[in-house]
Every structure is written in structure tokens, then in C-alpha cells.
Amino acid sequence: MDIVVKGRNVEVPDHYRQHVADKLAKVERYDHKLIRVDVELFHERNPRQSDHCQRVEITCYSRGPVIRAEACAADFYSALDTAINKLDSRLSRAADRRRVHRGRHAPVSVAAATASLAFTPPERYSTAATESAVRETGGFDLIEEADDQPWHIVREKEHPGEPMTVDDALFHMELLGHDFYLFNDKESGRPSVVYRRRAYDYGVMSLGM
């Protein structure tokens, strides 16, 4: 399993990379076919968010669905611990689902499987522009680059578009920790989106033909 640690406007020291490798060594017990784990660090530049200024995102790639977890804290070590706890829970759910399918039992619906889970709104971070600066804090060099745009796209992703059922799409959404998931509906053949509504209700949107 390859572990890739990188920072966005953050210089990641070697001792933290080793700490990440030690922490992630145990996740293979859930899935021995893990190929790569990406760990990305972000620094919140808004001083009003100092209690949640360090953000860690973990993404696991294997032969199965992509599994993701993220967390914010006052330091990268605490954020990593919280993100790994979320990751453990989602990897465990994926492992349980694989065991159910191998045993040819009827799988539990996503709504039922997640009914006991506390919903935590996704953490958000500011993209406000600041002047170029480098600060030393907690062993990390935080690099803030100037940007004249009032907004900017910080990430682009492309996902495979295998047709799937709504229940499978909800399962993938929960493993990613997102509030929505784009997929090709196996029954209708249309591009569709499942999304989280209030409490544990979900919604589905599809494009008309």
C-alpha cells in the first residue's frame, strides 16, 4: 500500500509523514487490496477559524469503492486522529458489506445501516485571498499565496461512470462522507444525483431526456 502525503500551501515535514504512515498501518486489516492512500493537508487562513485551522483529508483507493474521511482541528495531529477514526468506521462498513455479499444474504439498506450514526456537517474552510507569507507553526511551514480572484476552483475530479442502483450510490456517498453523489442510474440510464436531506432522509435528482 502506497501512502502519499502532500500539503496545499503547507510544507509537510518528514516526521509527520512517518507519523501518518504509522497511524495508517492498521487500516489494511479492513481491506488487504488497498492500493494507495492519499493524505492531504490544508491550512485555514481565516484567523477566526483558529480552533479548526488545520484540515486533513484521507482518501483510500482499492479495487472496491473509494473511501474518504476528513477532519479539522487546531493542529494537524489532532485532525489526523479524528479523520482516521472516521476512516476506520467507513472501512469497517465496507468490509461488512463485502461479507454480506459473499454470504449471499440480503444487504442492509444504506438508510438502515446509517440510522445510528450521528450526522456531522462537513467542515468548511475559507478561500479568502491573503498576501504572500510564510509562517512557522507546530513544525510546519505554512505558505499563503496571493490570489487576485475573489474565488477559485481548488480541485477537479473525474470518477468512473459505471451504472449503479440508487442504494449503491447512497453507499458510496456515505463512504466518501459527502452530502451528494453523482452517478449513472442503472434503471433509468440517466445521470443522477443522490443527496442528503434533513436528519437521515435522502433525495434523488435526475436529468430529463
Side-chain angles (χ1 to χ4, degrees):
M1 179 181 71
D2 293 330
I3 299 176
V4 179
V5 184
K6 55 187 176 181
R8 180 166 299 176
N9 295 338
V10 177
E11 291 291 337
V12 184
D14 290 339
H15 64 81
Y16 189 82
R17 295 179 187 275
Q18 184 59 50
H19 180 71
V20 170
D22 293 341
K23 286 284 188 177
L24 290 176
K26 298 178 181 179
V27 303
E28 284 189 286
R29 71 183 184 273
Y30 295 111
D31 187 351
H32 296 290
K33 296 180 181 179
L34 282 174
I35 300 170
R36 190 178 85 249
V37 179
D38 287 350
V39 180
E40 193 162 4
L41 279 60
F42 302 84
H43 171 64
E44 167 60 68
R45 295 178 288 189
N46 186 342
R48 291 178 294 181
Q49 300 292 328
S50 59
D51 291 340
H52 304 280
C53 62
Q54 314 296 31
R55 180 185 185 92
V56 173
E57 295 183 2
I58 307 174
T59 307
C60 293
Y61 300 92
S62 71
R63 296 179 185 177
V66 174
I67 300 177
R68 180 177 172 274
E70 61 187 64
C72 291
D75 61 86
F76 284 120
Y77 289 92
S78 298
L80 178 67
D81 288 342
T82 303
I84 288 179
N85 287 338
K86 293 180 182 179
L87 186 68
D88 280 345
S89 176
R90 289 166 190 169
L91 285 168
S92 178
R93 266 183 276 163
D96 289 343
R97 185 181 174 98
R98 288 194 300 271
R99 285 193 289 270
V100 167
H101 284 187
R102 283 197 295 268
R104 298 181 182 276
H105 300 297
V108 178
S109 69
V110 172
T114 59
S116 62
L117 300 176
F119 170 59
T120 303
E123 302 92 342
R124 304 187 183 277
Y125 57 94
S126 170
T127 56
T130 59
E131 295 182 356
S132 297
V134 178
R135 297 199 305 274
E136 179 72 20
T137 176
F140 294 82
D141 290 329
L142 305 179
I143 305 169
E144 298 183 353
E145 299 177 351
D147 190 345
D148 295 332
Q149 294 288 347
W151 56 269
H152 57 277
I153 296 173
V154 297
R155 176 175 298 168
E156 295 183 10
K157 290 185 178 181
E158 182 176 327
H159 296 282
E162 300 93 346
M164 63 178 65
T165 65
V166 171
D167 196 63
D168 285 338
L170 288 170
F171 177 70
H172 282 68
M173 182 183 76
E174 294 292 346
L175 292 184
L176 290 171
H178 287 171
D179 290 329
F180 67 92
Y181 188 82
L182 176 66
F183 70 106
N184 285 323
D185 193 321
K186 182 182 290 187
E187 295 183 4
S188 68
R190 299 177 181 178
S192 303
V193 173
V194 291
Y195 61 95
R196 191 192 305 276
R197 292 174 61 85
R198 295 180 180 179
Y200 296 101
D201 292 333
Y202 300 98
V204 182
M205 293 189 297
S206 301
L207 293 178
M209 301 299 291

